[in-house]
Amino acid sequence: MKADRRKMLKKIDHIGIAVHSIDEAKKFYEEGLGLTCTRIEEVESQKVRTAFFTLGETHIELLEPTAPDSPIARFLEKRGEGIHHIAYQSDNLEKQLQQARENGCRLINEQPVPGAVGKQVAFLHPKSTGGVLTELCEIQNPEL
Ligand code: CO
């Protein structure tokens, strides 16, 4: 069991924040905080448009829904704008998911799916993480 709990997590990769409009919300990050938007990308699998702001080793990810049935659209309807998820970077997403599963975590994604910035990602259900939607991700292309 101990061997299964080796530390595969490297850092907090990003904090995901749900917004109605990236164009509106990015003003605060750019003008209010002085950050620079380094990337805007649509992720079809999640039906979102994302905007990334890099700060040191981590990022802020703004998430705007691209369809009414997007998970982010449902989140906004229920909870309004705000922190949506925390993403941890792992060096082995498959094993990381297996460890979570074996330790009683409910997985939203049984298998990794393509995320923004060419990453592989998988979400853990907030019901089994103390209410925090948790993303695990693994970098595929360090150039991006
Ligand atoms: Co994310």
Side-chain angles (χ1 to χ4, degrees):
M1 190 49 141
K2 276 219 174 97
D4 288 333
R5 294 175 69 184
R6 82 181 177 86
K7 194 173 162 223
M8 294 173 277
L9 294 185
K10 296 294 140 197
K11 63 177 190 180
I12 292 183
D13 187 86
H14 62 270
I15 297 171
I17 297 173
V19 301
H20 290 292
S21 157
I22 280 176
D23 289 343
E24 277 303 309
K26 84 203 261 280
K27 286 182 203 155
F28 164 69
Y29 293 91
E30 288 178 333
E31 291 157 32
L33 296 182
L35 297 174
T36 304
C37 180
T38 44
R39 187 179 184 90
I40 289 193
E41 181 184 347
E42 194 168 324
V43 183
E44 277 180 48
S45 66
Q46 310 285 331
K47 296 184 184 171
V48 287
R49 192 166 157 249
T50 63
F52 283 87
F53 298 82
T54 304
L55 183 59
E57 281 224 312
T58 189
H59 311 271
I60 297 293
E61 175 187 41
L62 302 183
L63 302 147
E64 172 194 296
T66 55
D69 62 340
S70 159
I72 292 294
R74 290 199 296 268
F75 178 91
L76 286 166
E77 242 169 63
K78 260 169 60 183
R79 315 256 297 258
E81 293 187 313
I83 292 184
H84 177 260
H85 65 270
I86 292 188
Y88 298 89
Q89 191 186 106
S90 174
D91 63 5
N92 190 329
L93 185 52
E94 295 273 354
K95 281 205 176 124
Q96 195 81 53
L97 281 177
Q98 191 187 338
Q99 173 176 301
R101 190 187 297 115
E102 284 170 3
N103 286 279
C105 267
R106 196 168 136 199
L107 309 188
I108 292 175
N109 304 105
E110 289 290 333
Q111 295 297 326
V113 296
V117 203
K119 287 172 197 151
Q120 288 290 304
V121 308
F123 286 90
L124 307 180
H125 200 284
K127 283 229 163 86
S128 59
T129 61
V132 180
L133 178 60
T134 300
E135 174 185 335
L136 300 169
C137 64
E138 184 178 343
I139 290 193
Q140 304 295 303
N141 181 356
E143 304 290 302
L144 289 177

